[in-house]
Amino acid sequence: MIKPSPKVPPMPHRTPPAQPPVADPKIQLLPFGTQSWTDFERLVCELVEAAEELTQVARYGTAGQAQGGIDVVGRAVDGRWSAFQAKHVTEFSVASARETFDRFVHGSRPHRATRFVIVTSCRGISTQVRELALAYQAEFPDLLLGEVWDAEYLGRLLRPLPWIVARYFGDQVARRFCDADALAAHYGSPDGWADKPEDAVGISVARADPFALEVHRAIRVEDETLADDPLPPYLRRPSDEALDTVVDHAVQGTSGMAVLLGDSSTGKTRALWEAVQRLSDDWRLWHPPSPDTLLSSLRSVGPRTVLWLNEIHRYLLTTDADRDETVAAGLSELIRDPDRAPVLVLGTSWHTYRRPMTKAEGTTDENRERRALLANRWIRVPSHFTEDEVATLLTVPDLSDVRLHQAARSAEGRHITQYLAGGPALQERYANASPTARAVLEAAMDARRFGHGPELAAGFLEDAATDYLTELELDLAPEEWFAEALQYLSEPCRGVRGPLSPIRGTEGAGLRLRLADFLEQHARLTRGLHCPGDAFWRAAERHATASDRAALAGAAAARDRISDAKSLALSIAKADDGNALNSLAWHVEQHHGKLDATPYYALAAEAGHSKAQVRLAWRLEQNGNLDAAEAWYRRAVGSGVDVDATVGLASVLWEQGDQQAAQNLYEEALAAGGARSIEYQARWLAAKGRHRLALALTSCAFQAGNTEAFTGLAWTYMNPDEKPRAIAVLKHAYHVEGDVNAPRELAWILADDGDHVGSEEYAKIALELGEAGVLRGLGMMHAAEGNHQAAAGLYWHAYNLGMTLILLDLAAIREKQGELRRAERLYRRALREGHSYAAHGLTRVLELTGRGPAAEDLANLSYDTVITLACVRAAHGRRENAELLLRTLVAKGHTEALLTLGQIRQAAGDRAGAEAAFRQAVTAGVAQATQALTALHAAPQDREH
């Protein structure tokens, strides 16, 4: 359980008081009555963990669930479980006490708990209630039932725990209530964080400059009369309300994070700026210039700090995937750290970066830290204003500003913020460019699309631009064509920078330029089907940095330009840049089946990259080359930064017969936080038949805090011949190790194995542990067998226990049975309950019931839903319309739709059309496009009709 940090109050007013200050006396009782019942329950959960020294403490069940009168459970060092019932009441009667005790002693006690404590917020407990507790204790001597806590007893437990008091009642209450020694130990200094608060990063929010924080300057207009404020007035929008909630929690002492999601120039950064204006002057703001700076100084972030991560992909989606994960883990730790709360992490992102930052990567999900950090942090910022918002801009006196009025009247499609940022002028400059200027600009656009960093070398653009010119255009170009092109492209556009602006501090041969954000976004929408030729890639070899070459090499490989990818990789090796080579190897491994990643890992390993050394050693180990694997593992261990190296070395030593040295290394890895790595090692050993060692390592990983270790091992044995071993592992996990996940897994596996009695037994245990997901798994098995009635019954049970997502499964059953109206009602219900994926099912049902226009209106809400509609239409004989939908998506920049287009054509027997679509997808760098093309060529051709 995380101990929350105090909410440090603002600095007091500096004006001398009219009268001598009077010190507040210590308060005797905490104001439990001002809390909500949920906060009281959370307080009890944190208190019993801290004061009772219990482990595995957790709130039991979810709101609305049948919990048997239990709110919190925890495990003592002797293995016995305690159960707590939180009663947020002003009085606790004998009748209520009797009912509470009866529900516990006669109900199904979670974890077979033997101790039961009633925790109340009352100012006192009557003698009759205490006597009743003693009577129950006498009647049930095998249980501990005599404890009924009141507000006074809670106070005694909380006095040495200021972090909990501050969490729920505020800093001032904590200072007036808690013991002096505890306060001194917790707060450490008047600022409540560090001995040297001056070492904290950032500047006062009051001193922050919006333009230094990358807020766009607004356009300038010829008849502008309001010259005093460089920023026009701000119109609040619905996304600001969601952002306010996160900021309010920070003000109240709870760390948080929000990432505003929207395309270029939609007002994301301005919205963040307006939000931080609500913070008091004792808040600091830190805008780290690079991911390396962020990583190196993250420990210096103190309480009441805003961490400003505009364009968050610069920190979490770089060419160094390992560093990205480390940054994400550090930010997660910062948000969870009670000693540094409250902190506020604010970021922005384009839609194009969200998916690569949040999708699962590889079989072991090496993107998990980044996905976990960003989960539920997104706040969508609309790309354009509504008609009502435009009308407000034109009519509300407080928004009277000539710049806003011009944008409101002139912006195409109500794209107000883009107009203010000069977007139309940039597009006009691009459209009217000479062939040479256009070539330079498109080279920059493609480089940025392919992952090149924001700083583009002038030499690179000059050489690459020749690839975009015909031989005649190049012959007719003036001698100084490149200089003239730069002059045209760098001139400001209506108060904003030009399409390609020089970066201050670079000049001459070292000149570097930056592409305007709006045009970068425009390129992603319009140039997805373009891939440059040889001159572009050769220019990258000559001029791009190693990390940029790695990104471009990945882009070349994704577009099936294998020789270009190899040439770039070799040039990176000459630069001896291990980070760039490892990033390229990882990209090749994940996205390109034709290439073997091993040579790239070898190059990165030779350059000293520890992750690459581990991955290379693992491949050597798989191939039986243990001596070479050991050498690479030892080099990686020597760097001291990768626990996987320690586990790998242990694996090799065990195979070579040195079990004692291997055991020592496994223990070292666990001590270094490598419980997950140990789990993966155990799975691998199990697959090789080393079952006893696999089970021993899994147990160590579980005891070190990896709660999924036994589940992972069991599913390694899920082939028919070894299923009894999977069952044995899970039974050991639950009955011997106390793994609360095991009953759920056992219920599923036993049901699949035909043991319905055993399945029901473990399903009941899982439900007692608050795991409603077991019902969904059993329901899916019944549904797969065609027993829809039994599946629906289990699904409704899960829904009544709070699993609202199960509505999608219920709707799918009705849809499969042909009961489309019932399915529609369930999909609509799921949408009302916040499950946006239900739009797919609803779109499908609307189409199948003859309501095509309604289906299109719903589908247009998201790219994925349009794909669903296209597939439904193609499957029901409307292929031409389906292809029109998909080509429209491609024209809007969603080149991934080409895969679906190719699949529809292939299913219809149109091999030539399918090949054309897949080849376009390869050119666009769509993931899996090369594999789809290869599979098409390998598929037998249908006979001609």
Side-chain angles (χ1 to χ4, degrees):
M1 184 59 63
I2 298 172
K3 297 177 180 178
S5 163
K7 170 180 169 289
V8 181
M11 294 294 289
H13 199 281
R14 299 182 183 278
T15 304
Q19 297 180 6
V22 178
D24 289 332
K26 285 283 186 181
I27 55 178
Q28 300 305 312
L29 288 176
L30 290 170
F32 295 108
T34 63
Q35 291 184 293
S36 66
W37 68 267
T38 54
D39 279 347
F40 182 69
E41 189 175 300
R42 293 188 184 98
L43 181 148
V44 171
C45 186
E46 296 192 29
L47 173 62
V48 298
E49 180 181 42
E52 297 284 306
E53 297 184 353
L54 302 178
T55 61
Q56 301 183 39
V57 177
R59 297 172 70 195
Y60 182 63
T62 59
Q65 250 186 315
Q67 299 167 242
I70 306 302
D71 291 317
V72 177
V73 293
R75 188 179 187 182
V77 291
D78 60 5
R80 291 184 295 180
W81 286 83
S82 297
F84 300 82
Q85 170 71 73
K87 293 288 187 181
H88 189 238
V89 293
T90 55
E91 295 182 2
F92 189 51
S93 66
V94 173
S96 295
R98 181 175 286 109
E99 179 185 2
T100 302
F101 281 120
D102 283 340
R103 290 176 69 189
F104 177 76
V105 299
H106 298 303
S108 55
R109 302 192 301 276
H111 307 292
R112 300 181 180 84
T114 56
R115 176 190 177 209
F116 181 54
V117 181
I118 300 174
V119 184
T120 78
S121 57
C122 302
R123 294 179 71 97
I125 301 297
S126 69
T127 303
Q128 292 86 343
V129 169
R130 296 198 181 278
E131 289 177 349
L132 180 66
L134 294 176
Y136 272 89
Q137 177 66 79
E139 185 177 354
F140 299 94
D142 293 336
L143 303 175
L144 298 175
L145 301 172
E147 296 177 79
V148 183
W149 297 357
D150 60 6
E152 184 176 354
Y153 185 74
L154 287 177
R156 289 203 296 272
L157 294 178
L158 286 165
R159 284 194 186 280
L161 306 174
W163 59 88
I164 298 180
V165 177
R167 166 79 166 173
Y168 292 96
F169 302 101
D171 233 22
Q172 304 222 17
V173 171
R175 293 181 187 277
R176 293 179 57 204
F177 178 79
C178 294
D179 295 336
D181 291 345
L183 289 171
H186 175 62
Y187 288 103
S189 77
D191 283 302
W193 168 59
D195 293 332
K196 294 182 178 180
E198 64 273 11
D199 292 342
V201 294
I203 61 173
S204 169
V205 167
R207 293 172 47 211
D209 177 6
F211 304 116
L213 298 175
E214 301 175 301
V215 175
H216 286 305
R217 293 182 183 272
I219 58 170
R220 298 185 63 86
V221 293
E222 292 181 4
D223 58 344
E224 183 172 356
T225 56
L226 298 177
D228 293 337
D229 193 344
L231 288 176
Y234 185 72
L235 175 64
R236 289 176 57 81
R237 306 174 72 189
S239 52
D240 293 295
E241 300 295 332
L243 181 57
D244 283 352
T245 300
V246 180
V247 175
D248 287 343
H249 287 167
V251 171
Q252 295 163 11
T254 302
S255 294
M257 178 178 181
V259 181
L260 298 190
L261 179 66
D263 290 333
S264 173
S265 303
T266 51
K268 305 181 298 296
T269 313
R270 176 70 189 275
L272 293 187
W273 171 254
E274 295 297 325
V276 300
Q277 301 313 298
R278 302 170 56 239
L279 299 172
S280 56
D281 289 348
D282 60 327
W283 277 77
R284 301 175 70 83
L285 186 147
W286 182 41
H287 181 28
S290 69
D292 287 330
T293 304
L294 171 61
L295 198 57
S296 63
S297 301
L298 199 54
R299 292 301 307 171
S300 298
V301 176
R304 302 183 306 287
T305 298
V306 177
L307 186 49
W308 187 276
L309 302 181
N310 194 44
E311 298 190 28
I312 200 168
H313 64 273
R314 298 178 186 171
Y315 306 90
L316 296 177
L317 191 61
T318 69
T319 57
D320 188 343
D322 297 324
R323 181 183 59 191
D324 295 345
E325 280 290 275
T326 305
V327 170
L331 290 172
S332 296
E333 179 186 357
L334 171 66
I335 295 170
R336 293 193 302 264
D337 189 347
D339 294 326
R340 291 191 283 169
V343 294
L344 184 58
V345 181
L346 297 178
T348 66
S349 174
W350 292 359
H351 287 282
T352 189
Y353 295 119
R354 178 181 178 177
R355 187 175 181 184
M357 284 195 292
T358 56
K359 68 179 180 180
E361 290 278 5
T363 56
T364 59
D365 190 8
E366 298 206 27
N367 196 24
R368 58 182 177 270
E369 292 289 352
R370 191 165 53 192
R371 289 198 306 115
L373 170 71
L374 296 174
N376 302 316
R377 309 286 193 190
W378 304 97
I379 298 174
R380 180 178 174 272
V381 178
S383 62
H384 59 272
F385 281 35
T386 65
E387 291 183 359
D388 288 340
E389 289 170 338
V390 173
T392 300
L393 288 177
L394 293 171
T395 57
V396 174
D398 288 345
L399 297 172
S400 180
D401 183 283
V402 67
R403 295 163 293 184
L404 289 179
H405 287 186
Q406 178 170 314
R409 293 189 181 98
S410 305
E412 181 180 355
R414 301 191 302 277
H415 287 83
I416 304 298
T417 55
Q418 293 91 331
Y419 188 94
L420 290 169
L426 292 169
Q427 279 188 291
E428 182 180 355
R429 185 73 61 83
Y430 174 35
N432 296 329
S434 66
T436 51
R438 174 183 286 270
V440 172
L441 193 54
E442 289 181 347
M445 289 175 165
D446 289 343
R448 291 292 285 135
R449 280 196 305 121
F450 296 159
H452 192 293
E455 296 191 5
L456 298 156
F460 165 64
L461 294 178
E462 183 174 7
D463 289 353
T466 61
D467 203 58
Y468 298 75
L469 294 167
T470 67
E471 186 174 348
L472 178 60
E473 286 173 334
L474 195 55
D475 289 342
L476 295 179
E479 185 176 350
E480 299 297 325
W481 66 268
F482 182 68
E484 292 178 8
L486 288 190
Q487 182 177 359
Y488 172 83
L489 295 171
S490 61
E491 291 176 358
C493 297
R494 298 185 189 170
V496 299
R497 299 180 192 276
L500 266 178
S501 54
I503 295 175
R504 183 175 298 177
T506 67
E507 55 189 21
L511 177 64
R512 294 183 178 274
L513 303 112
R514 177 163 184 162
L515 179 66
D517 287 351
F518 186 81
L519 288 180
E520 181 178 337
Q521 181 74 21
H522 181 70
R524 295 180 190 279
L525 294 176
T526 60
R527 295 191 56 77
L529 300 180
H530 296 269
C531 182
D534 295 342
F536 177 92
W537 307 103
R538 299 291 81 75
E541 280 186 46
R542 289 191 293 271
H543 300 286
T545 65
S547 60
D548 289 330
R549 274 177 275 165
L552 295 176
R559 287 158 178 80
D560 214 23
R561 298 187 66 94
I562 306 303
S563 61
D564 292 320
K566 290 181 177 179
S567 295
L568 285 164
L570 291 174
S571 73
I572 299 168
K574 293 177 183 177
D576 204 31
D577 191 321
N579 281 335
L581 286 164
N582 182 68
S583 298
L584 173 60
W586 175 248
H587 178 92
V588 169
E589 179 179 347
Q590 295 300 308
H591 301 295
H592 209 283
K594 279 189 177 181
L595 283 175
D596 179 13
T598 302
Y600 301 100
Y601 279 128
L603 291 172
E606 290 289 355
H609 195 279
S610 61
K611 279 283 186 185
Q613 291 168 351
V614 171
R615 289 165 179 156
L616 176 61
W618 184 82
R619 283 162 173 75
L620 293 167
E621 184 182 358
Q622 304 302 302
N623 294 330
N625 193 344
L626 297 184
D627 291 339
E630 179 187 355
W632 281 114
Y633 278 135
R634 288 193 182 278
R635 284 185 64 175
V637 168
S639 69
V641 297
D642 196 335
V643 71
D644 289 338
T646 304
V647 174
L649 181 58
S651 175
V652 169
L653 293 181
W654 191 285
E655 289 292 321
Q656 293 174 332
D658 194 350
Q659 282 85 2
Q660 184 58 54
Q663 182 175 339
N664 293 340
L665 286 170
Y666 283 135
E667 292 174 357
E668 181 183 328
L670 284 170
R676 180 69 72 181
S677 297
I678 293 292
E679 175 200 340
Y680 294 141
Q681 175 71 7
R683 291 194 210 176
W684 183 61
L685 290 168
K688 293 180 63 177
R690 307 293 292 274
H691 306 301
R692 181 174 297 180
L693 178 57
L695 183 62
L697 288 177
T698 301
S699 179
C700 292
F702 177 78
Q703 292 169 11
N706 183 355
T707 58
E708 299 176 355
F710 283 110
T711 300
L713 178 61
W715 283 94
T716 304
Y717 295 124
M718 278 306 292
N719 60 75
D721 293 336
E722 292 190 295
K723 191 176 290 184
R725 193 180 296 277
I727 294 171
V729 166
L730 290 170
K731 286 184 176 180
H732 170 85
Y734 177 64
H735 294 291
V736 178
E737 304 280 357
D739 183 357
V740 295
N741 293 317
R744 175 195 65 215
E745 307 292 327
L746 277 166
W748 293 342
I749 294 176
L750 291 172
D752 186 58
D753 206 37
D755 183 357
H756 297 295
V757 174
S759 175
E760 289 180 7
E761 174 188 349
Y762 283 104
K764 183 179 180 181
I765 294 173
L767 288 173
E768 290 174 350
L769 295 172
E771 180 54 78
V774 68
L775 298 172
R776 183 175 187 241
L778 295 175
M780 292 172 68
M781 293 179 186
H782 283 302
E785 296 168 355
N787 190 349
H788 296 136
Q789 184 176 356
L794 290 166
Y795 288 162
W796 277 119
H797 189 184
Y799 176 80
N800 292 329
L801 292 177
M803 183 178 282
T804 59
L805 185 62
I806 207 75
L807 289 170
L808 297 178
D809 297 287
L810 281 161
I813 285 180
R814 301 309 178 205
E815 190 178 344
K816 191 171 185 179
Q817 292 175 314
E819 300 180 21
L820 298 184
R821 292 293 183 179
R822 294 181 69 183
E824 178 181 343
R825 288 195 294 271
L826 287 165
Y827 283 131
R828 291 191 184 279
R829 186 172 179 178
L831 279 174
R832 288 195 300 271
E833 300 209 21
H835 302 298
S836 60
Y837 194 78
H840 292 263
L842 183 55
T843 298
R844 192 167 51 246
V845 169
L846 290 172
E847 175 67 18
L848 294 175
T849 52
R851 289 171 285 173
E856 288 187 11
D857 288 343
L858 183 61
N860 284 331
L861 295 177
S862 75
Y863 157 80
D864 290 330
T865 321
V866 177
I867 294 291
T868 296
L869 180 58
C871 291
V872 173
R873 289 186 172 175
H876 289 81
R878 300 184 63 190
R879 176 186 159 193
E880 184 176 342
N881 186 272
E883 291 203 7
L884 176 61
L885 289 172
L886 295 171
R887 287 197 298 269
T888 302
L889 281 178
V890 173
K892 292 180 178 179
H894 296 290
T895 52
E896 317 93 278
L898 289 166
L899 281 183
T900 306
L901 180 61
Q903 290 159 1
I904 287 175
R905 289 174 175 175
Q906 185 176 0
D910 181 6
R911 289 178 64 92
E915 179 169 355
F918 289 147
R919 287 197 181 281
Q920 276 193 306
V922 170
T923 300
V926 176
Q928 307 305 317
T930 302
Q931 292 88 325
L933 188 60
T934 302
L936 176 69
H937 291 159
Q941 296 194 30
D942 297 333
R943 293 179 180 176
E944 292 185 3
H945 295 6

